[in-house]
Amino acid sequence: MDRNLYNLPKNDPSFFARTEKAVAYHAARCEAYEQLLERAGYTDRTIRSYDDLYRLPSIPTLFLKNHQMYSTNPRMAVFKATTSGTSGKKSVAALDLGTCLSALKMVARVMSYYGVISPVPVNYVVLGYQPNKSNELGVAKTAFGATLLAPALRRKYAIKFEDGIYTPDIDGTADALFRFSRQPFPVRIFGFPAYLKFLLDELHARGIRLTLPKNSGIYLAGGWKQFAGEQMSKPELFEYARDILGVPPQRCYDFYGAVEHPILYASCKCNRFHVPIYSRVLVRDAATLEPVPYGTPGLASLISPLVKSMPLVSVMTDDLLVMHEHCDCGIPSPCFEILGRASANDLKTCAASAAELLSK
Amino acid sequence: MNLINGKIVDDTAAWQIESDLYPRICETLSKPKLDVNTVISACDEFVSGLTFDQYAALFEQLGITREAAEAYILRGKNEFGKEALCERLSRELGENRENIHPLGVLLHIAAGNADGLPVFSVLEGLLTGNINLLKLPSAVDVVTIPLLLRLFEIAPCLAEYVYVFDFSSKEITKTESLIQYADGVIVWGGDAAVSAFRRTVPPNVKLIEWGHKVSFAYVSKAVQEEELPLLAEHIAKTDGLLCSSCQGVYVDTEDLASAADFCERFLPYLSKCAAEKSYGVGITAHRTLYLENERLEGNRIWRGENCGITLRPDTALDSGAGFCCIWVKALPKEQILPVLKPYRNRLQTVGLLCPPERREELAELLFTAGATSVTHGDMSQSTLAHDGEYSLRRYVRICTM
């Protein structure tokens, strides 16, 4: 067991120092970031405590959508991903080689903590976009990346790319699951929660109940977006998956991450996302942005010194979340739950545009 | 939920009926023309009996306070009472209407931004004697069907003139299938929706577009203090969601300092109205993020309870963040035309706050720039014509014998 991954107090001094260094690094290389810090009145740039982290200006994703800010030449980027903002503005993340390697190390460490990395070959069902060269959507890349965590026998994508367009293929997905269930290898299902529910509904409607091979698992990411009406709680959804697919809830995982903050958060058995040593998550009052105590919902600053190519040290997403200091699962670090979006209506993002395809 | 012939039916039944709609439509059309007085009396009876308690649960579901609901009801009574409708018909279609015939079948593609809009659109279709196929907006709509059912209770003969279908906008084939029955397609919605229909609707079907419009206030430096509360009330009441909702304020000045003075003056009024509203944490957070973004952009901001004003150095006509967040920009009178003209067919209401002696001149200029309605501070007051046109005229044909 990796005892240090969630031991924040031990890591705090080094995290503060690396964050302070990261701010200075980006401020020196990215003029727009330096200007932003100045406009925000950020003069004392020492970071020695959580209070100092709160003081560090946190960039709203809206700002990132209007300004391309780079600390290294973006042409040196080895990985580009965009959020699928259908509202017209896209957020672009360009990561350099060093950042990608750090990120991969981080992902590998988090994934192996949850036993997701395995040498046993598996069949994959990806409830998302099939990758193609022109698709820079973060979700497509992450979904493909996820299928590298254990050797892949077959990959079945629920949204297939054919003749230059994406079309949903629920029938084909159901068939693939049926075939995979008769093979001796574990099955891994990746995707949006709404998609999983539609798939389960479809199987249920056809009277199909499967028992996927031992060690099969379900790995979800993203919210319900405009399917809020269809929303089930994670425990309910996982019970539903047990019923239809025969996958026990303890093998169902939920992940959280953002293009602007490429840190992987995995849900524990209490369905909460624990903060690993790679980042800190600070919740702020929804009206004043002042720090709030544990248990109070608000906006969040996601802080990490990991990215070198863009000044994404502290970003503020549109998610509303609540932090808890302790969790019954035994993982020692604070953990959070996502409560919704900072919006009157459902903002259209990745899951929403995938969902639109599905309803065509 | 789908509504056919006054009855709620499930999707399977609705689309079965849809697949064989022509005989039904022809049967209805072969009857004597729908008597406009029947529609008017039904509307009148409907609105005059309307009380808050009757629909209390519905309003609660929509998050509409009693006060706001009563304002809606009053407006409904004013606009759909017998007198108002008769006046509107004479104004839009003239006194002698012998030569006026309905288009026939209207397909309404309703938008979800204003509660009750689908019903409003169908009523206009009925007033002009048309059969109405309504595609409900994708957003959860809890208003349309109960209101239509009540209308049919009063005038059962209207039921066969209304078909309500509930399906996602992405189900293009279903929309196309409905278009084949339509003489006119009425599209309420944004650019994406309007462009999509321009491509889909065949040339022999009339396309009637009510696209998204932008509204704003134009304020002269010499504006009287008593004009400001009504504008603040309007901003708080509509939350920036309607075409006629004020998105921001142009101040008739060249320098930002004078525009900043306006922000200073206006904030207490906006704050007072906004403080009376209760917003959920999602909307509060949306507003906070917007203002934080503005701050990091280097724009000056004024914060009040539940509201915010940002002073921007440019002159572009942007939409605001809604929910009592508005922008203020400097736009001297001489610049009105060059700045606003490019937004052709996008402008709707301008709340003009200025001394009386300048009113005519400024209104004329705003009309030339493309505005279709100039009001005082309360920009949500109903206008004679929708987006600068008499809508009923677009739903009829003039026939000669």
Side-chain angles (χ1 to χ4, degrees), chain A residues 127-154:
Chain A
L127 304 177
Y129 297 95
Q130 183 172 10
N132 80 83
K133 275 185 196 147
S134 64
N135 190 338
E136 287 194 352
L137 288 183
V139 281
K141 298 209 165 174
T142 323
F144 179 77
T147 67
L148 302 176
L149 296 167
L153 293 165
R154 292 217 181 286

Side-chain angles (χ1 to χ4, degrees), chain A residues 286-287 297-299 317-321 339-345 347, chain B residues 278-290 321 323:
Chain A
L299 289 161
T317 68
D318 300 336
D319 291 309
L320 284 167
L321 46 85
L339 303 175
R341 308 277 289 180
S343 147
N345 307 306
L347 290 183
Chain B
S278 66
Y279 290 108
V281 63
I283 289 171
T284 302
H286 164 79
R287 188 190 303 117
T288 305
L289 280 174
Y290 176 82
F323 309 106

Side-chain angles (χ1 to χ4, degrees), chain A residues 36 39-40 58 60 62-63 67 286-287 289 299 316-318 320 341-344 356 359-360, chain B residues 168 170-172 241 281-286 288-290 292-293 295-299 303 323:
Chain A
L36 179 147
R39 277 199 296 266
S58 201
L62 178 62
F63 192 91
H67 302 268
L289 296 182
L299 289 161
M316 199 153 37
T317 68
D318 300 336
L320 284 167
R341 308 277 289 180
S343 147
E356 280 171 4
S359 56
K360 259 188 189 174
Chain B
S168 159
K170 301 292 156 189
E171 294 178 88
I172 313 274
L241 296 176
V281 63
I283 289 171
T284 302
H286 164 79
T288 305
L289 280 174
Y290 176 82
E292 179 65 3
N293 182 59
R295 185 177 80 97
L296 295 177
E297 291 279 2
N299 296 326
R303 293 171 204 264
F323 309 106

Side-chain angles (χ1 to χ4, degrees), chain B residues 27-71:
Chain B
E27 195 191 324
T28 305
L29 289 178
S30 61
K31 292 179 182 174
K33 223 170 32 171
L34 181 59
D35 182 6
V36 69
N37 292 315
T38 313
V39 184
I40 293 177
S41 317
C43 286
D44 189 65
E45 193 181 332
F46 179 71
V47 292
S48 56
L50 210 55
T51 63
F52 173 80
D53 294 329
Q54 215 177 337
Y55 292 102
L58 203 61
F59 283 121
E60 198 188 327
Q61 211 177 334
L62 294 168
I64 297 173
T65 62
R66 185 175 186 122
E67 200 191 347
E70 273 166 0

